[in-house]
Amino acid sequence: MTHRRPRLACSFAGALLLILACWSVACGAAGPGRAAIATAHPAATAAGFAVLAQGGNAFDAAVAISAALAVVEPAGSGLGGGGFWLLHRAADERTVMVDGRERAPLAATADLYLDEKGRFQARRAQDGALAAAIPGQPAALAYLATHYGRLPLAVALDPAIRLAREGFAVGRDYAVLAGYRLPALLASPAARRTFLAAGLAPVPGWRLRQPDLVDTLQALAARGHDGFYRGPVAARLVRGVREAGGIWTAADLADYRVVERAPIQFDYRDMRVISAAPPSSGGVVLAEALQILAGVDLVAQAPAERIHWTVEAMRRAYRDRARELGDPDFVDLPLARLLDPDYADALRADIDPDRATPSATPAPDGSAGLDRHTTHFSVIDADGNRVAATLSINTPFGSAFMPPGTGVVLNNEMDDFAAAPGAPNAYGLVGSAANAIAPGKRPLSSMSPTFLEQGDRIAILGTPGGSRIISMVLLASLAFAEGADTGTMVALPRYHHQYLPDRLFHEPGAFDGAVIEALAAKGHHVEAVSRRYGDMQVIVWDRRSDALTAASDPRGEGLARVELPHQTASTSMTVGR
Ligand code: GLY
C-alpha cells in the first residue's frame, strides 16, 4: 500500500474528500461498519453481540461465544475440549490460527486402547475418564482475550456465567443427544446429575442449570489461564479423572499451552482459501481436493460427472490424510509435496472420468456418520476483524465423564488418534503412525474453520460433522467460488467420500435416481445416510456492494444476525430449522 502526502493547494472538493477519508479511517470504515455473527445457538449469538456492545472486538466476541456455547451446547464443545480459532486482524492484516487442540496426557502410550491381543477397545477410547485428552479451550480463551481482545477476560465470560447460573431451556438436539449418550452419562454421577432429568434424557424445554460450571468459569474469569490449569479447579479435575481410572497428572494441566500456527493458504482459481493447519487435516485436505478440481471445468459438467470428479478428489485427499498427517510438533509432515499444485495435477491425471477408483483396502467397520457434536461460529466486527472457529469435545457429550465439582464434561478426543493400524475411529477414519498416540501429542482433527477471499467478497465459514466437516466446507467453497450466497451455502445438499470406507455417502434427497444410477454405473458404492448432517455458519462480506450477510444452517438450531448500519438492532436474521 502506498501513502501520498496531500497537496496544500487542494480544491474544496478535494479537502472534503480528504476529511471524509480520514473520518472513515478513524471510524474503522476499512471494515464493514457493522458486525455479523452466526452461531449454532441463539444465546451464543446474543453473547457475542452483548460483548461487542460493550466495546469488544471480534476476538472478545469469539471468547464470549465460545464460552456461551460451552454452556448451551454441552454436547458439542466446552471447557473440557478444544478447538481452532482462525483469526484475521484488520489493523495489520495478520491471519493466524490459534491452536487450542487437546493434548494426550503425558502418561499416554501408543497401546493405551489395545487389549492383550493388540485389538482396539473402542469403548475405552470413547467413554469415561481414560478417553479424555488435556483440554485446550480454557487456555485458548485466556490467550485470545490477552493477545487479541480489547476487554478483560471476565467481561467476555460474563454472558456464559449468567447462562450457566440462570439456566436455559434445552432444545430438541440436546434431548436427542442426551438420549443417544444415556448409558455413558449414567456412568458418571456428576454428568448424570447435571445433564439428565432423574436419570432420563430430558425433554425439550427442560431447564439446564450448571452451578459447578459457574464456579469453574468464575475461576477462569478471576485468574485467567491459571484459574483452570493450576489451583483448586485443576486439583478437582485431576482427582476426578484419576479416581475414575484416568491417567492425568497435575503436570499435564500445568504444561498445557496454545500454539499459534500459520494457516494453510492456497488458491482455487481466482479464490484465496485460508484454512486450518495441522494438527487439523482440514486445510491440507481442502487444498489437495480443490487444487485437483481447479483443473476441471466443473460448471460445464453434468450433475453426475461433477459429483464423480468431486468425489474422486475427496478420495485422494482423504487418502493422504490417512497416510501422512498427524501433529506437526511430533512428525515431519510432507506439506510441501501435499500442497504443491504439481502434485494435484498428478492426482487429477490419475482420475478416470468414467470409473471410480477403488480405495485400496476393503471398507472397515465403523460409523462414518456422527454429526450432532462439535460446533462452529463465524464473526466479523465493524472494523473487519474476523474469526472462524470450530470447537469440539468430539462425539456427543465427549467422554460423558464429568470430574465431580467442576461442571466440566471432558472430551473423548483420544479417539481421534489412530489407536492401531487399520482400526477405524468413531468416524470410520483410519490413520498411520503419523497419528499414533504419544505423550503430549495432539490428535489429528478434521475441524476446518475457513476464510475465502474472491475479489471483493470474503466468506467466513465452517461446520461441525466429524470427518465430514472437510467435505462440507469443500462443497460450500466450490459454491462460493461460483457466486453462491450465504443461504445457498448452508443449505446445499451434501455428499461425502473419505477414502475408507469406500462409500459415497449422501444426504437423503441429495441425489436423484438418475444421478445415483450414473454414479453406480461408474463403480461408486452410493449410500444414503439416515438424515441430513452438519450445522454450517457462514458470513459473507462484499466490499464492493457493502453487503454483509450471514446464515445459519437450516439443519440446526442456530442464529445468524447482521447489525443494521450505524445501529445495534439486528436484521438479516437467519434461524436454523
Ligand atoms: N473431534 C473431531 C475432529 O477434531 O475432527
Side-chain angles (χ1 to χ4, degrees):
M1 206 197 309
T2 56
H3 299 274
R4 291 216 184 91
R5 190 184 295 272
R7 291 170 51 197
L8 286 176
C10 54
S11 66
F12 174 74
L16 192 62
L17 278 176
L18 184 64
I19 290 164
L20 280 174
C22 292
W23 179 83
S24 298
V25 170
C27 294
R34 69 265 195 217
I37 298 178
T39 86
H41 198 287
T45 302
F49 275 109
V51 163
L52 290 177
Q54 291 176 78
N57 59 17
F59 312 119
D60 297 303
V63 174
I65 294 165
S66 305
L69 288 168
V71 176
V72 295
E73 267 201 328
S77 71
L79 298 189
F84 301 112
W85 289 257
L86 185 63
L87 315 181
H88 175 82
R89 186 168 58 193
D92 58 358
E93 309 234 310
R94 176 173 172 70
T95 301
V96 71
M97 183 182 92
V98 173
D99 169 358
R101 181 71 163 163
E102 299 92 329
R103 287 174 34 160
L106 297 170
T109 53
D111 60 357
L112 189 60
Y113 304 110
L114 306 185
D115 67 11
E116 64 289 347
K117 292 200 170 122
R119 291 171 304 203
F120 176 44
Q121 302 297 299
R123 292 267 59 85
R124 295 174 61 202
Q126 293 170 13
D127 298 342
L130 191 62
I134 306 305
Q137 175 154 323
L141 300 191
Y143 187 89
L144 284 168
T146 309
H147 291 82
Y148 292 95
R150 282 192 203 130
L151 300 177
L153 176 61
V155 174
L157 294 181
D158 189 56
I161 292 170
R162 269 197 257 172
L163 279 166
R165 182 186 296 122
E166 291 164 14
F168 67 98
V170 302
R172 201 199 69 165
D173 280 353
Y174 180 98
V176 169
L177 294 175
Y180 171 69
R181 291 294 272 153
L182 192 59
L185 288 167
L186 286 170
S188 166
R192 171 192 175 126
R193 218 174 20 255
T194 305
F195 294 131
L196 301 178
L200 297 172
V203 293
W206 179 75
R207 202 159 187 85
L208 171 58
R209 290 191 179 83
Q210 299 171 80
D212 287 344
L213 185 57
V214 170
D215 293 346
T216 299
L217 281 164
Q218 281 179 330
L220 186 63
R223 296 183 53 225
H225 180 106
D226 285 356
F228 186 89
Y229 292 91
R230 293 173 189 271
V233 171
R236 280 194 283 273
L237 289 166
V238 172
R239 189 167 56 243
V241 164
R242 294 188 76 83
E243 284 177 2
I247 55 174
W248 291 17
T249 63
D252 279 309
L253 290 167
D255 273 9
Y256 187 87
R257 294 285 176 276
V258 302
V259 182
E260 284 207 359
R261 302 192 192 271
I264 297 292
Q265 304 206 29
F266 61 97
D267 293 323
Y268 168 76
R269 297 175 168 243
D270 63 346
M271 180 173 80
R272 189 81 180 144
V273 182
I274 303 157
S275 191
S280 175
S281 58
V284 176
V285 174
L286 271 179
E288 282 195 47
L290 282 170
Q291 291 186 139
I292 291 171
L293 294 172
V296 182
D297 187 358
L298 287 178
V299 176
Q301 305 289 321
E305 304 306 317
R306 179 183 171 114
I307 294 161
H308 172 72
W309 278 105
T310 308
V311 163
E312 290 304 311
M314 289 177 187
R315 185 197 304 275
R316 284 158 177 78
Y318 275 93
R319 182 178 62 197
D320 281 340
R321 180 197 196 280
R323 290 180 179 170
E324 310 278 12
L325 297 184
D327 182 348
D329 296 340
F330 282 71
V331 281
D332 285 330
L333 304 179
L335 293 187
R337 173 168 65 81
L338 299 179
L339 299 175
D340 188 338
D342 288 346
Y343 178 61
D345 290 346
L347 292 174
R348 187 186 322 110
D350 172 55
I351 295 175
D352 182 338
D354 299 320
R355 294 296 303 166
T357 309
S359 296
T361 47
D365 294 328
S367 161
L370 299 165
D371 65 309
R372 295 283 169 187
H373 57 83
T374 310
T375 196
H376 176 87
F377 66 85
S378 298
V379 184
I380 190 166
D381 68 19
D383 295 335
N385 297 306
R386 310 175 217 153
V387 181
T390 312
L391 321 176
S392 188
I393 52 173
N394 201 22
T395 61
F397 287 98
S399 66
F401 174 71
M402 180 182 283
T406 65
V408 176
V409 64
L410 300 183
N411 69 84
N412 59 354
E413 222 72 69
M414 292 299 285
D415 187 59
D416 273 349
F417 281 114
N425 73 358
Y427 308 105
L429 290 166
V430 294
S432 68
N435 190 31
I437 301 171
K441 191 174 175 184
R442 286 158 149 87
L444 188 62
S445 173
S446 300
M447 292 190 282
S448 310
T450 297
F451 300 144
L452 305 172
E453 300 176 350
Q454 187 192 42
D456 287 312
R457 297 169 74 227
I458 291 170
I460 308 167
L461 70 154
T463 179
S467 56
R468 295 181 191 158
I469 288 173
I470 314 173
S471 61
M472 288 186 256
V473 173
L474 169 66
L475 296 176
S477 301
L478 289 170
F480 179 78
E482 293 167 16
D485 60 16
T486 51
T488 306
M489 290 165 76
V490 297
L492 281 178
R494 292 174 177 150
Y495 56 92
H496 172 76
H497 199 297
Q498 62 181 39
Y499 171 57
L500 290 173
D502 192 351
R503 295 278 182 279
L504 197 182
F505 295 109
H506 65 90
E507 288 188 315
F511 298 162
D512 65 26
V515 164
I516 292 174
E517 220 169 276
L519 290 167
K522 287 181 186 292
H524 290 286
H525 306 288
V526 185
E527 193 171 309
V529 297
S530 57
R531 58 184 205 152
R532 300 172 80 205
Y533 57 85
D535 194 2
M536 186 169 280
Q537 312 295 329
V538 182
I539 292 170
V540 171
W541 175 33
D542 185 333
R543 283 178 288 198
R544 186 186 299 239
S545 66
D546 198 27
L548 183 63
T549 52
S552 193
D553 200 312
R555 299 161 183 82
E557 299 175 343
L559 174 64
R561 265 179 58 186
V562 181
E563 278 179 346
L564 288 167
H566 315 303
Q567 291 181 19
T568 49
S570 64
T571 186
S572 288
M573 287 176 50
T574 310
V575 187
R577 198 156 48 220

